[in-house]
Amino acid sequence: MLKGKHIILGVTGGIAAYKSAILTRLLVKAGAEVQVIMTPAAKQFVAPLTFSTLSGKPVISEFFTANTGQWNSHVDLGLWADAMIIAPATASTIGKMANGVADNMLVTTYLSAKAPVFVAPAMDLDMMAHPSTRRNLELLKSYGNHIIEPAEGELASHLVGKGRMEEPEKIVQVLSNFFVPKDLAGKKVIITAGPTYEKIDPVRFIGNYSTGKMGYALADEAARRGASVTVVSGPVAVKPQDSDIKIIPVQTARQMLEAAQTVFADTDIAIMCAAVADYAPDHYTDSKIKREKDEIPVIHLVKNPDIAATLGREKQPGQFLVGFALETDSEQSNAREKMHRKNLDMIVLNSLRDKGAGFGTDTNKVTIFTGEGMSVTYDLKSKPQVASDIFDSIVRCLK
Ligand code: PMT
């Protein structure tokens, strides 16, 4: 998303300036053209040579380049940029930006910039919590600037609290999310994710190896594209990147069905990515089943409801229902059969015979089948990239 984008990186005078060297490196690696502007104080922390080497462009700091007398036009720079990020942003620079104190090249360029502005504050916890800083940040928000809130942790003062500049990887993520086309804006998306646990007794359950990585990657991608997202999630350790994603935690297939049905009526797109246990014990033993000497306990199973098929029956015109098929053999025919039997509009096949695909991995290899009889097979990709391919297909179908 950052390929070819013009980014102004404003670096101000704080110890977190060293992290901005890494940020420059990551932005350049992502394909962005980076112009660094440093405040005079920033140069006390990191040498401009570091940034000019990493960005491949001379650093701008003053209104005039001393040895040539060349005027650095803040207006041209402001127009050149697709985005401006100030990281780290000190309390002093935030105050100047909020109040239009244009006494250095960075703030002057900020006032001229037409592009979206991102601000990553970094300062000591008491400065961060001060009403003056909070008020100035609120002012920046009211100008439409995006604040990348600092993280909590140990600060340069060795005090612990909120004030650490967000990690460069996270900042790059925020920036690239911003440039994702918002082709799902106004859409409501529900995703089932992770495994279900069917309880046998207080210490045992029937489950499977699903980690939720695929389902949560879908949720993050939908949110990036502007959708309002709900995940009905079995027990997993993964978390969504976007705090606006609503998570409904469940344990069993029946709970997953109930939660999915409640949300589905008001949903545009539903993706059934959960690995739902097909069977559950017919009863729950409320004390631990003891290891008997001679007798081996027998667990009777009952069939769980099929969530995808139930939603397929309840589907109304205009709703788009996607299933997954996890197969080990006769993959293509099984996937097509599931798509038709469950009344799905699309099914995503992943086969456990493909290395790096399916449960637990950070990658997946899928074939996407649509109701029109089309299918596209993709290479092995990261789960976030697979999620992007899936939503590209959905958006194409919706068109
Ligand atoms: O979570 P990860 O570790 O990242 O792994 C991802 C995944 C392998 C779990 C995911 O990519 C995947 O394939 N999910 C579907 C697994 C599955 O249960 O497949 P299935 O072929 O058994 O089921 C077909 C479809 O019916 C699926 O959409 C499934 O969610 C749904 N189903 C199945 C049974 C059931 N009782 N209710 C259902 O809704």
Side-chain angles (χ1 to χ4, degrees):
M1 284 303 145
L2 293 174
K3 199 158 187 215
K5 293 280 186 266
H6 294 171
I7 312 280
I8 294 178
L9 171 59
V11 184
T12 74
I15 184 62
Y18 81 92
K19 284 188 180 175
S20 300
I22 300 163
L23 178 57
T24 309
R25 172 96 186 86
L26 293 176
L27 289 170
V28 169
K29 217 173 150 197
E33 237 182 275
V34 182
Q35 175 61 64
V36 177
I37 305 180
M38 298 179 83
T39 61
K43 292 191 281 185
Q44 304 291 320
F45 289 89
V46 181
L49 184 62
T50 306
F51 287 106
S52 60
T53 307
L54 291 170
S55 67
K57 282 181 190 294
V59 167
I60 296 174
S61 185
E62 310 297 336
F63 293 106
F64 293 93
T65 306
N67 52 352
T68 62
Q70 185 197 325
W71 181 54
N72 295 312
S73 167
H74 54 88
V75 178
D76 288 351
L77 267 176
L79 294 176
W80 171 84
D82 294 306
M84 180 170 189
I85 161 100
I86 294 101
T90 56
S92 159
T93 292
I94 290 168
K96 287 180 185 180
M97 288 164 66
N99 297 289
V101 182
D103 68 348
N104 65 36
M105 188 63 190
L106 175 52
V107 181
T108 316
T109 306
Y110 163 73
L111 292 179
S112 307
K114 297 261 186 291
V117 176
F118 297 80
V119 181
M123 62 196 78
D124 214 45
L125 73 168
D126 293 320
M127 292 174 80
M128 188 65 211
H130 196 280
S132 156
T133 310
R134 297 313 317 174
R135 190 204 55 201
N136 285 334
L137 285 171
E138 284 309 314
L139 277 174
L140 294 187
K141 275 191 209 165
S142 75
Y143 307 156
N145 300 167
H146 306 265
I147 311 300
I148 304 174
E149 287 290 335
E152 296 207 8
E154 189 177 346
L155 304 164
S157 59
H158 301 300
L159 295 172
V160 176
K162 185 172 172 175
R164 285 171 65 86
M165 185 179 102
E166 190 48 277
E167 294 306 319
E169 290 78 6
K170 267 268 183 72
I171 295 176
V172 172
Q173 185 78 57
V174 171
L175 273 177
S176 58
N177 286 354
F178 181 83
F179 287 111
V180 171
K182 301 290 179 267
D183 50 10
L184 294 178
K187 299 271 185 229
K188 290 182 184 153
V189 175
I190 173 186
I191 294 161
T192 64
T196 62
Y197 284 0
E198 313 296 334
K199 287 183 182 178
I200 299 170
D201 70 8
V203 296
R204 302 178 181 94
F205 59 85
I206 295 173
N208 58 65
Y209 299 113
S210 173
T211 55
K213 285 182 185 174
M214 189 66 246
Y216 278 67
L218 285 161
D220 287 332
E221 179 63 16
R224 255 194 293 278
R225 289 172 177 237
S228 137
V229 185
T230 302
V231 181
V232 181
S233 177
V236 293
V238 284
K239 290 198 170 14
Q241 282 174 3
D242 188 326
S243 55
D244 286 341
I245 295 175
K246 185 176 174 205
I247 307 290
I248 305 179
V250 296
Q251 288 258 327
T252 66
R254 284 183 186 281
Q255 291 168 352
M256 189 172 271
L257 172 68
E258 202 175 303
Q261 272 183 305
T262 313
V263 182
F264 184 60
D266 189 28
T267 291
D268 301 293
I269 301 164
I271 307 182
M272 305 289 100
C273 186
V276 185
D278 285 312
Y279 300 95
D282 70 349
H283 75 280
Y284 171 69
T285 310
D286 55 13
S287 56
K288 186 180 172 187
I289 300 171
K290 294 278 179 291
R291 188 187 158 99
E292 303 295 344
K293 263 208 178 113
D294 305 318
E295 213 179 305
I296 295 177
V298 175
I299 298 167
H300 291 280
L301 301 176
V302 290
K303 230 175 177 181
N304 265 335
D306 188 320
I307 302 164
T310 308
L311 299 191
R313 285 193 294 276
E314 293 176 0
K315 191 172 66 173
Q316 297 296 314
Q319 288 187 303
F320 197 86
L321 181 57
V322 182
F324 268 72
L326 181 63
E327 304 294 340
T328 53
D329 49 82
S330 307
E331 288 96 333
Q332 303 242 347
S333 55
N334 283 342
R336 284 185 200 279
E337 186 276 323
K338 279 179 186 171
M339 178 166 68
H340 295 304
R341 178 163 46 86
K342 301 187 187 208
N343 193 24
L344 308 172
D345 300 291
M346 178 183 281
I347 197 155
V348 181
L349 164 68
N350 41 190
S351 169
L352 289 180
R353 284 204 287 190
D354 286 323
K355 204 162 177 277
F359 288 129
T361 50
D362 290 328
T363 52
N364 208 354
K365 179 166 176 15
V366 302
T367 301
I368 299 178
F369 298 83
T370 55
E372 293 100 44
M374 304 275 288
S375 72
V376 182
T377 300
Y378 294 82
D379 293 335
L380 184 75
K381 295 185 181 188
S382 72
K383 284 185 173 166
Q385 284 170 331
V386 172
S388 171
D389 289 339
I390 291 171
F391 276 109
D392 282 346
S393 300
I394 294 173
V395 168
R396 265 198 302 275
C397 287
L398 291 177
K399 275 185 188 151

